[in-house]
Amino acid sequence: MDLKTATSLRRLRLVSAPEAISFLLLLVCSVLKRTTEFNAVPVMGMVHGVLFILYVIFWADAWNRTKWPVKTGALYFVLSVLPTGGFFADRKLRREAEDAVIASRARQEGTVSA
C-alpha cells in the first residue's frame, strides 16, 4: 500500500466516527425539538451535513485509490447512512490498515512474496 492510499484510508477513518456521533446527536436534537422548546437541529444539521459531505468525499477518494470491489465500496457508503454505521466503518478500516501493515512488514522481511 502506497502512502497516498494509506492517507486516504486514514482520512476516511478519522471522519467516520465523528460523522456517526453527529448523526446520533442530530437524532437526539430532533426528538428534543418535538418534545421540548430546545431546538439545536439547525446547528447539528449543519455540523452533520459538513461531516457527511467530508465522509463522502473521502470515501470516493479511498475507493478510487484502493480499487475496492463495488460490494466493498457500496458497504462503506451504506455505513455512512446508518446511524451507527460510522463506528463499524471505523472498525473495519482500522482492521484493514493493520492487515496492510502486517503484510508490508512480512514482505520486507521476505516472509511473503506478494
Side-chain angles (χ1 to χ4, degrees):
M1 180 181 305
D2 66 340
L3 185 60
K4 289 184 179 183
T5 304
T7 303
S8 67
L9 287 174
R10 182 168 171 79
R11 279 191 307 233
L12 180 60
R13 191 177 147 236
L14 287 176
V15 79
S16 64
E19 191 271 336
I21 292 169
S22 72
F23 194 2
L24 292 174
L25 287 174
L26 180 60
L27 292 175
V28 168
C29 289
S30 295
V31 170
L32 289 175
K33 176 184 175 185
R34 285 159 179 72
T35 58
T36 66
E37 296 295 319
F38 183 72
N39 184 12
V41 172
V43 173
M44 278 312 304
M46 186 175 2
V47 168
H48 173 67
V50 167
L51 288 171
F52 179 75
I53 289 170
L54 283 174
Y55 184 94
V56 171
I57 290 169
F58 294 157
W59 165 79
D61 182 44
W63 191 8
N64 183 38
R65 291 189 186 281
T66 59
K67 307 297 186 216
W68 284 325
V70 173
K71 184 178 176 181
T72 304
L75 171 69
Y76 283 118
F77 185 77
V78 168
L79 287 175
S80 74
V81 182
L82 300 175
T84 58
F87 298 121
F88 294 109
D90 177 49
R91 188 178 191 189
K92 193 166 173 52
L93 286 166
R94 186 175 344 117
R95 286 183 183 163
E96 191 173 320
E98 289 170 355
D99 291 346
V101 168
I102 291 169
S104 174
R105 287 182 182 162
R107 267 188 245 104
Q108 286 176 347
E109 293 174 2
T111 309
V112 176
S113 59

